[in-house]
Amino acid sequence: MADYVIVYFKLGSHPSSSPWSGDLEKAKTMARDGLVRRGADEWQIRSDTLDGPIVWRERRDC
């Protein structure tokens, strides 16, 4: 089971997510890197599952 799920959003829609097992700081780095690659404008790190509590959230200024 993943420690976290990185959830990406583009214009309020949820185009993709990615499980992550490991350190929260590394998860933040991976999420930032994936933001541009996925063309997303926001990402969230959630605990355990897609519906888990939000652990961290950031938006990209366009």
Side-chain angles (χ1 to χ4, degrees):
M1 177 182 242
D3 296 322
Y4 304 104
V5 177
I6 301 168
V7 185
Y8 296 94
F9 293 92
K10 183 175 183 177
L11 302 174
S13 293
H14 166 229
S16 66
S17 57
S18 180
W20 178 263
S21 292
D23 181 67
L24 177 59
E25 293 305 313
K26 288 184 181 178
K28 290 178 189 178
T29 299
M30 293 298 294
R32 287 182 191 110
D33 291 346
L35 187 75
V36 174
R37 233 184 6 241
R38 289 175 168 85
D41 54 27
E42 180 181 356
W43 58 267
Q44 299 173 355
I45 297 177
R46 293 181 171 260
S47 179
D48 299 325
T49 66
L50 192 58
D51 296 323
I54 296 172
V55 176
W56 193 266
R57 164 190 280 158
E58 286 187 24
R59 287 190 57 80
R60 176 171 65 152
D61 294 327
C62 298

